[in-house]
Amino acid sequence: MLLRKALLVAQKQLRSAGVRSEEASSIIQVVTGLSKEEILSDGARVLVDRDVNMIKYFVSERLRRVPLPYLTGKSNFYRDTFLVGTNVLCPRKETEVLVGSTIHAVESLQTQKNSLLTVVDAGTGSGCIACSVKKYSAWPIHMLGVDMSFHALEVAKHNARNLDVDVSFLQSSWLSAFSADSLDIIVSNPPYLSSFDWKNCEPELSYEPYTALVGGTTGTEMLKYDSINLFAQKVQFSCFLLFPGK
């Protein structure tokens, strides 16, 4: 099959299922190793059967609304590529604002405090926030990532190794392993959906970890937990991000 035809067929199938047709190019990039520019300029290239079959498989899974990062095993976030799997949420573009906000907070607090700042990412998941803050902060920091999921922490540790950043990961129910005076900055993107909203969201969310998405009946219960709210009142800076329906 010609590359041009494979792209057009994939785009049409995805579009008909309500999936962004732009993902066809992303799928072909992953399968063939070609760049976006090469895909557009080399439409007469003949694809080997293996690649054709793999493209068809990826498209069929997207028609079932399996998130693309779960198919490719990776996702771009901030300035890097992260390993992802079904044990962690797919990193969202919107969440990148947390990285910038935390880095700015580090810079502001560091001018007031001579000692090393301790920053914790509560509910770290894939570790994308913790790793990005650690890697791109201009100041040295003690970066921690906590999650109650052992499997999520294994993914986060893998990402830290890949990016060669020093992040300490700890299995804990939110901030229960810490005292408020041991932390300087808390960053978190906690579960934000209500159980009702989750049932009515895009089908892709059904493949992601339920407990990482749903905060309870109203969706805001996690912010009211003493283990987060109490700390947020006592530490020098706390940054939470809520995107209902995202």
Side-chain angles (χ1 to χ4, degrees):
M1 180 183 289
L2 295 181
L3 173 58
R4 182 185 302 109
K5 181 177 180 180
L7 178 62
L8 291 174
V9 170
Q11 288 175 331
K12 181 179 180 180
Q13 291 178 323
L14 293 173
R15 190 183 302 113
S16 66
V19 179
R20 293 186 311 115
S21 60
E22 293 86 350
E23 288 191 16
S25 178
S26 299
I27 289 173
I28 294 175
Q29 287 180 64
V30 170
V31 172
T32 65
L34 296 172
S35 67
K36 183 180 296 185
E37 292 73 22
E38 289 173 322
I39 292 173
L40 294 176
S41 64
D42 195 12
R45 177 189 290 257
V46 178
L47 298 177
V48 299
D49 289 344
R50 176 190 174 279
D51 286 351
V52 172
N53 291 333
M54 187 61 69
I55 291 169
K56 289 180 178 179
Y57 169 74
F58 273 30
V59 170
S60 68
E61 289 297 280
R62 281 301 288 129
L63 297 182
R64 293 179 52 234
R65 307 304 287 267
V66 178
L68 185 58
Y70 288 165
L71 296 175
T72 64
K74 59 185 180 180
S75 180
N76 294 327
F77 179 81
Y78 204 63
R79 303 175 190 173
D80 294 291
T81 300
F82 288 83
L83 170 75
V84 296
T86 54
N87 294 307
V88 299
L89 292 180
C90 299
R92 269 83 165 155
K93 180 71 175 177
E94 311 92 284
T95 311
E96 293 179 4
V97 69
L98 276 179
V99 177
S101 297
T102 306
I103 290 174
H104 178 72
V106 168
E107 294 174 349
S108 299
L109 290 181
Q110 194 63 65
T111 60
Q112 307 170 28
K113 185 175 180 179
N114 293 325
S115 58
L116 190 69
L117 294 177
T118 297
V119 184
V120 62
D121 174 22
T124 194
S126 66
C128 61
I129 295 174
C131 291
S132 298
V133 171
K134 177 65 177 182
K135 182 174 180 179
Y136 295 104
S137 173
W139 295 90
I141 56 174
H142 181 207
M143 188 73 224
L144 301 166
V146 298
D147 204 289
M148 61 173 50
S149 168
F150 169 82
H151 298 292
L153 289 175
E154 289 300 300
V155 175
K157 291 175 182 177
H158 181 96
N159 282 321
R161 288 193 296 269
N162 277 356
L163 296 178
D164 194 26
V165 292
D166 183 15
V167 179
S168 299
F169 292 104
L170 176 68
Q171 188 171 12
S172 170
S173 178
W174 294 100
L175 301 173
S176 60
F178 304 97
S179 59
D181 58 4
S182 68
L183 304 173
D184 296 295
I185 297 174
I186 300 172
V187 57
S188 182
N189 184 15
Y192 48 78
L193 291 176
S194 70
S195 52
F196 174 80
D197 287 337
W198 178 80
K199 294 178 181 178
N200 294 279
C201 279
E202 56 268 26
E204 282 83 354
L205 292 186
S206 66
Y207 291 92
E208 300 194 65
Y210 180 85
T211 55
L213 283 169
V214 180
T217 304
T218 67
T220 61
E221 285 86 350
M222 203 59 66
L223 288 180
K224 298 175 183 176
Y225 278 18
D226 287 342
S227 60
I228 293 183
N229 194 39
L230 180 63
F231 277 66
Q233 295 175 31
K234 292 184 177 181
V235 300
Q236 297 191 56
F237 181 85
S238 57
C239 185
F240 299 99
L241 184 64
L242 298 179
F243 281 108
K246 294 291 185 179

